[in-house]
Structure formats: C-alpha cells, structure tokens
Amino acid sequence: APDEAAALALDKIMANPDEFVRIARELQAEPVIDARTAKTMFDYLVRIGIYNESDEIDYINALAQMEILANEAIDDTQDAFGLR
C-alpha cells in the first residue's frame, strides 16, 4: 500500500539522516528530467499537436511509454532508499 511504503521510507530516512542528505545531494546533481524522459515527453506533445489526439494507437503508446518511465522512476527511488 502506498501509505505503508511512505511510512517505511520515512522511517528509513529518519533512521539515517546523513544518508538521506547524501542521496538528496546526489540526485540534485543530476538533471531533474533525464534525456530519455524529456524525449518521450516531447514526442508525446508533438503527437498530440500533430494528431490532435485523433490517432488512438500513437496516443495509447505514448501514454504507455510515460507510465513505464514513471514506474522506472518509482523503482529507482525505492532502490535508492533500499525499499526493494
């Protein structure tokens, strides 16, 4: 459950605040949106602009790509906090 995962993450952060600060600094050193995510978002916006959401297959594929990237970001965050 999301609430349980959030509570576990908070417990881990509070147990070792120095490690949290180290991870936070490491993440801040990287771009907020990586190049792959930015490209996918750009492609998605272009498709919407060109097809005005009328090409359902491309629209669904773009949404699926965004969902995959969001899930990868969640996984990366969980890995960073040792939650998986």
Side-chain angles (χ1 to χ4, degrees), residues 52-80:
N52 196 24
E53 299 182 17
S54 62
D55 188 338
E56 292 181 26
I57 299 297
D58 284 343
Y59 179 68
I60 291 169
N61 284 335
L63 287 177
Q65 289 171 356
M66 292 304 298
E67 183 176 4
I68 289 167
L69 291 173
N71 286 332
E72 288 174 355
I74 290 168
D75 291 344
D76 291 345
T77 302
Q78 289 176 340
D79 289 343

